[in-house]
Amino acid sequence: MNPSDYYALAKETGTSISFDSFDAYGMPEGRHMGNLLLSVISQSKIREMSLKDAWTKYGDQVDYDELVEFDEKLSYYKLLNNKMDFDDVIQEYANSGTVPSLHVLFIDEAQDLSSIQWRMAEKLALKANEVFLAGDDDQSIYEWAGADVQHFIKLQGRVETLGRSWRVPPRIKEVSNRIIERISERREKSWESVGEEQGEVEYIRSPLELIDEIREGQWLLMARTNGLLRDYEEMCIEAGVFYRYAHKAKDFKELVLAVRTWQTLRSGGLAVGRRVKLLYSLMSSVERVKHGIKSKVNAMEDNGVFTIKQLKDDYGLLCSDLDWADALDRITDSDRDYMERALEVDDISEPRITISTIHGAKGGEADNVVLLSDMGLNAYNAMIDNEDAEHRVWYVGVTRAKKKLYICEPSTQYIYDL
């Protein structure tokens, strides 16, 4: 199944599906009814439970009869078009796949495997001489998506714990320990913090207190949910610094590349074809580029090298005498204003600042980490049902910091106590 299949499915079933974003396996995510129905069907597969049980536990926003009807239409579409999704692939292998003979089987991030993935892993292990599983139950933060951390916790076998963190300094470890000690069931483990530096933990009232500090250094700005990230973005814009989203399409990296490329060309330098294509995508036809020339531009070799004279003579460029702010006229006014300020303050081509949810930042790190202690109503309600899962999320958030951790005091009643 790919995005075009879900478009066709939405049209055939008359079900509203949002295509604003897709998960790592190509399934559309969102709050439209079709997305919710797809999510419940996926939960039934990855947790290996009946559709009725999945609906009872995860389908409070959908009608059961509608769910059954949609599931039947989805199954018929897949059968008719010879299609499978990621869950189907794992399910089919777990049920009927052949088992290879292996010298060694390695399974990384094992704490995040779902029930059906565990069954697949156990099947692969049947003819393996040795099996190594790497994981940390304290960092299992995808239970909401089907991760079966209890399976990982109860595994039998020889255990080796890495004795040192190469990221977390002592004072930040103290905060993480206060969190992890709240978990009722976990694998006990001990580890030493890194280096001689103690690290710093500072409590602040608002991220805006850091508007001067973020003009230097490496930063990771995190919140529990997407809806809480807007304050970070506004702070970065006000400070005039470049930033990127870890989990969204919003990213000024391409704009920075376009501006740098234009400046290089106008100063007599060269630009490769893929950068030229980016430039032309930000210029309007007729006024900045000759009408009908863009097909020729699209045919450029990505690694070909071009001068601004070549672009004028052979590729219809009409605005070589303009600075970037006028030449790249398809940039929005707000982005242009922001870029002009940021280029004065933050003269780099790679953003130093990443804005992310805690889930989006797993595996990441930064010298300076800012963490909002607000969590949103839905996450707060989920914590009431499963406190251990929420403790693991915040443990992951805190342990992203390499030097300094800033914890923002809450502005709502839905908070996590840090």
Side-chain angles (χ1 to χ4, degrees), residues 5 22-23 34 57 99 130 161 169 201 205 216 233 263 276 302 337 340 343 367 379 390 395 412:
D5 290 305
F22 295 81
D23 68 16
K57 192 165 185 179
V99 181
E130 292 184 281
T161 302
V201 178
R205 286 181 296 178
E216 295 182 358
E233 186 173 4
Q263 291 173 330
V276 174
D302 282 349
D337 292 343
E340 287 178 328
L343 284 167
D367 291 341
E390 199 61 32
Y395 173 81
T412 70

Side-chain angles (χ1 to χ4, degrees), residues 174-380:
E174 290 174 10
V175 179
S176 72
N177 282 346
R178 292 201 301 267
I179 295 171
I180 216 64
E181 288 168 0
R182 303 173 194 173
I183 295 179
S184 60
E185 189 174 2
R186 59 185 288 264
R187 283 182 174 270
E188 290 297 327
K189 57 189 78 71
S190 61
W191 49 274
E192 297 296 324
S193 50
V194 66
E196 299 179 357
E197 297 293 330
Q198 291 295 302
E200 297 181 58
V201 178
E202 182 176 337
Y203 290 82
I204 59 177
R205 286 181 296 178
S206 165
L208 290 174
E209 294 181 28
L210 303 172
I211 199 164
D212 292 326
E213 282 85 347
I214 65 170
R215 291 191 171 104
E216 295 182 358
Q218 181 193 37
W219 294 77
L220 176 57
L221 313 179
M222 288 188 294
R224 177 62 179 81
T225 58
N226 287 322
L228 296 170
L229 297 177
R230 179 60 186 169
D231 287 347
Y232 285 141
E233 186 173 4
E234 292 176 351
M235 177 180 69
C236 290
I237 291 173
E238 185 173 341
V241 294
F242 292 122
Y243 64 93
R244 61 178 289 271
Y245 269 106
H247 60 297
K248 293 171 63 176
K250 183 84 173 185
D251 189 341
F252 286 96
K253 183 177 180 180
E254 284 200 343
L255 287 182
V256 175
L257 286 174
V259 172
R260 296 293 187 212
T261 301
W262 186 251
Q263 291 173 330
T264 298
L265 285 168
R266 291 196 70 213
S267 63
L270 303 172
V272 294
R274 61 180 176 275
R275 298 282 178 84
V276 174
K277 293 175 184 178
L278 173 60
L279 284 177
Y280 276 55
S281 71
L282 298 173
M283 297 177 180
S284 60
S285 296
V286 181
E287 294 182 4
R288 299 291 184 269
V289 180
K290 285 182 181 179
H291 181 70
I293 201 68
K294 288 195 174 181
S295 59
K296 185 177 181 181
V297 174
N298 291 335
M300 279 182 176
E301 290 288 336
D302 282 349
N303 294 322
V305 179
F306 302 88
T307 66
I308 199 164
K309 184 178 186 305
Q310 286 176 292
L311 298 180
K312 288 169 59 179
D313 293 345
D314 302 329
Y315 292 92
L317 184 65
L318 302 175
C319 56
S320 59
D321 58 333
L322 300 179
D323 65 20
W324 72 266
D326 291 323
L328 308 181
D329 61 331
R330 295 185 67 183
I331 298 177
T332 66
D333 290 341
S334 59
D335 284 353
R336 184 179 294 104
D337 292 343
Y338 165 63
M339 286 288 294
E340 287 178 328
R341 286 187 287 115
L343 284 167
E344 294 177 3
V345 174
D346 214 0
D347 190 20
I348 57 172
S349 58
E350 190 70 32
R352 299 174 294 100
I353 299 171
T354 298
I355 298 175
S356 177
T357 62
I358 299 174
H359 285 90
K362 187 187 175 188
E365 61 184 19
D367 291 341
N368 305 284
V369 166
V370 185
L371 194 55
L372 298 181
S373 55
D374 294 287
M375 56 188 304
L377 176 59
N378 290 337
Y380 185 82

Side-chain angles (χ1 to χ4, degrees), residues 9 13 15 33-34 36-42 44-45 49-56 59 61-77:
L9 180 68
T13 62
T15 305
M33 183 52 63
L36 298 174
L37 294 169
L38 286 167
S39 177
V40 177
I41 293 168
S42 177
S44 73
K45 292 178 184 176
M49 57 173 56
S50 69
L51 190 62
K52 183 67 174 287
D53 288 343
W55 172 76
T56 300
Q61 299 182 66
V62 304
D63 177 78
Y64 180 66
D65 290 335
E66 185 178 358
L67 174 66
V68 172
E69 182 180 1
F70 185 82
D71 183 48
E72 291 174 350
K73 291 179 179 178
L74 173 62
S75 298
Y76 181 71
Y77 179 91

